[in-house]
Amino acid sequence: MTDLSDVAARKVITPTHRYRNNDKAVGVGNAFWDRSEQEGVAGIVAELDNGVLRTADGHEFVNFTCCSYLDLDSHTDVIEGAVTALRRFGVLDHCIPRSRVQIPALLELESSLGELWGGDVITAISAGVASAGLLPLIASGHLGNGVRPVMAFDKNCHVSMAGAKPSCADETEVLTAPHHDVDYLEDLCRQYERVCYVVDGADSLGGYAPVQELAVLQDKYGMLVYYDDSHSVSAYGERGMGYIRAHNPIRDERTITVATLNKAFGTSGAAIVLDGYGKHAHRVIERFAGALCYSQPMNTAAVGASLASAEIHRGPELIALQDRLNTNIALFDSLISTEQAGTSYPIRVVPMPDDAVIDAGRTVYEAGFYVSPVFFPIVARGTAGLRVMLRAGQTEAQIRRLGEVLVEVGAPAAEVSP
Ligand SMILES: *Cc1c(COP(=O)(O)O)cnc(C)c1O
């Protein structure tokens, strides 16, 4: 018999780390967070008052790394919407899986968002939960035509999608595709019966998916594309439909789009936008898409806030807010030179040397603006920078002053056009 007091006789586990590696993630990532926190550019606690944040010791700053690009999160209609819905439905969440019993709140929101963006919408409590639930169902062919696709995850896809690799790998083959490499995907399409490409519609460091080129492959080979358009919904396109729905000609079961409602949409929750999937697929999602079936749905306050935001999306105010956002982006571009300058995208990365980026972030913070320093391992070595996000609610004076401060810490000023 094995002597259990003998440690050497017990099994040692050697992980395969095919799709995730916490030793690496925590080991390298913690150093980033520890340094950021020590230098005072992370771990900040502040109250929000009229667009300005104030810490307990009285330091005031404007947040330039907030993804609420249209400032709808503090819009009075959105806040009223949350309160009104709570009163109307009389319950925050009637706790039981919606496949059994549900109050009509979610159905009302799904119908509203479906009308708004011209598709069939299923809600989830977050985009992360939606992807964790949907991707394995796509991998096994249960959400689709029954054929298991090879799952090609874009190398840079958001962690909320990449995190589903191990569960997809138990259902099918999983690959990591080079970033936006359409030739690589076409090669896969020639080799495999079916391919599903998993990619961000708009990247969190700037840039859009090559939606038109992907549509060619979708058309030619039946390739499925799973887009997470969290960064462009509301901020971009007619009625805030986002970059993907504004430009993708493939509006059928070959395209699945998810988007958080927590960024520019200004509320909480997420929308899965489908076309051409029938009731059967909806039932499969409701019953088998992981946390979508066994965990809580969006609560009534989030539903009410979202119904109100959807109303704003239907009217002229959305266009006005998008215009203000675009004006602010253009103003910033006229002050600071970045790789993203000239694009409609609200995120800019102001390049800085790796060893100077934290100090620069702290100086900018002391001057009254929060911009988040990003450096290895969040981004590759040698590509460090200060991440700046423009919003509709920032004033011209705030943006101009930020531009001055950025130049003082070594940011490249934009060339003045002749
Ligand atoms: C912010 C973000 C998410 C997270 O959205 P939640 O609804 O909070 O889970 C997911 N995907 C992308 C691409 C994001 O930018």
Side-chain angles (χ1 to χ4, degrees):
M1 235 181 92
T2 317
D3 176 6
L4 290 182
S5 66
D6 178 4
V7 171
R10 293 189 221 165
K11 281 187 189 174
V12 174
I13 291 167
T14 309
T16 55
H17 286 322
R18 285 205 301 157
Y19 302 107
R20 57 173 300 137
N21 185 340
N22 279 350
D23 283 345
K24 218 164 132 185
V26 178
V28 185
N30 243 351
F32 167 88
W33 286 111
D34 285 346
R35 261 204 76 201
S36 297
E37 206 168 309
Q38 274 158 23
E39 301 294 333
V41 290
I44 297 163
V45 179
E47 300 250 18
L48 183 61
D49 180 16
N50 233 336
V52 176
L53 286 148
R54 192 173 301 107
T55 62
D57 58 13
H59 179 59
E60 288 189 0
F61 62 98
V62 179
N63 195 349
F64 271 83
T65 311
C66 168
C67 301
S68 183
Y69 304 119
L70 302 178
D71 291 275
L72 287 173
D73 56 346
S74 53
H75 193 289
T76 48
D77 289 3
V78 170
I79 290 173
E80 276 311 309
V83 175
T84 306
L86 264 179
R87 297 229 163 86
R88 177 152 76 96
F89 292 103
V91 63
L92 186 63
D93 177 37
H94 188 60
C95 183
I96 176 173
R98 64 181 300 195
S99 46
R100 295 189 185 278
V101 178
Q102 63 181 322
I103 58 167
L106 288 175
L107 295 171
E108 197 176 306
L109 176 61
E110 287 163 352
S111 139
S112 169
L113 292 177
E115 190 281 325
L116 184 67
W117 291 328
D120 296 323
V121 168
I122 300 178
T123 53
I125 198 165
S126 74
V129 157
S131 290
L134 290 177
L135 289 169
L137 274 182
I138 296 170
S140 66
H142 288 90
L143 188 60
N145 61 2
V147 177
R148 289 171 196 278
V150 60
M151 299 291 287
F153 287 77
D154 189 274
K155 184 175 175 294
N156 294 2
C157 77
H158 191 262
V159 61
S160 59
M161 291 173 278
K165 284 180 184 179
S167 44
C168 289
D170 251 11
E171 300 285 355
T172 186
E173 272 181 54
V174 167
L175 297 170
T176 300
H179 185 51
H180 291 177
D181 189 337
V182 178
D183 292 338
Y184 172 93
L185 293 169
E186 178 151 29
D187 232 35
L188 284 186
C189 288
R190 291 200 192 98
Q191 291 174 52
Y192 288 85
E193 198 179 353
R194 196 158 164 85
V195 175
C196 174
Y197 179 45
V198 181
V199 66
D200 296 38
D203 292 340
S204 54
L205 294 171
Y208 295 109
V211 55
Q212 255 106 14
E213 291 163 86
L214 293 172
V216 173
L217 297 188
Q218 292 185 275
D219 200 36
K220 196 165 165 194
Y221 301 98
M223 183 173 79
L224 197 65
V225 185
Y226 183 93
Y227 286 110
D228 179 340
D229 211 12
S230 290
H231 267 296
S232 83
V233 150
S234 303
Y236 189 97
E238 199 185 317
R239 295 172 145 212
M241 68 171 65
Y243 186 83
I244 296 306
R245 284 191 79 77
H247 296 286
N248 186 8
I250 308 287
R251 292 271 191 112
D252 59 27
E253 71 284 355
R254 291 170 293 181
T255 303
I256 293 179
T257 310
V258 302
T260 188
L261 300 180
N262 187 233
K263 291 195 166 113
F265 194 81
T267 66
S268 175
I272 300 162
V273 191
L274 301 171
D275 300 280
Y277 282 88
K279 227 181 177 61
H280 170 71
H282 286 236
R283 290 290 178 263
V284 168
I285 291 172
E286 244 174 58
R287 293 172 186 167
F288 301 104
L292 254 66
C293 61
Y294 65 71
S295 196
Q296 60 188 296
M298 287 174 66
N299 68 48
T300 308
V303 169
S306 300
L307 283 167
S309 179
E311 277 320 302
I312 296 169
H313 279 67
R314 288 186 168 87
E317 191 177 355
L318 186 86
I319 298 163
L321 287 171
Q322 286 179 336
D323 284 349
R324 268 167 56 193
L325 172 63
N326 290 332
T327 303
N328 284 350
I329 293 171
L331 173 59
F332 185 83
D333 284 346
S334 76
L335 304 170
I336 301 291
S337 165
T338 62
E339 215 176 282
Q340 298 81 22
T343 67
S344 57
Y345 200 74
I347 301 179
R348 298 289 181 264
V349 182
V350 180
M352 288 277 156
D354 284 323
D355 57 2
V357 69
I358 285 211
D359 280 344
R362 199 185 44 215
T363 305
V364 174
Y365 176 62
E366 282 161 3
F369 304 97
Y370 185 78
V371 294
S372 59
V374 289
F375 51 93
F376 182 80
I378 302 287
V379 294
R381 285 186 211 276
T383 62
L386 297 171
R387 195 155 66 140
V388 176
M389 300 189 189
L390 284 310
R391 284 184 285 118
Q394 291 152 342
T395 66
E396 181 181 340
Q398 288 167 348
I399 295 166
R400 285 194 183 281
R401 179 66 195 130
L402 172 66
E404 288 167 9
V405 175
L406 284 171
V407 169
E408 283 163 24
V409 298
E415 281 169 39
V416 187
S417 41

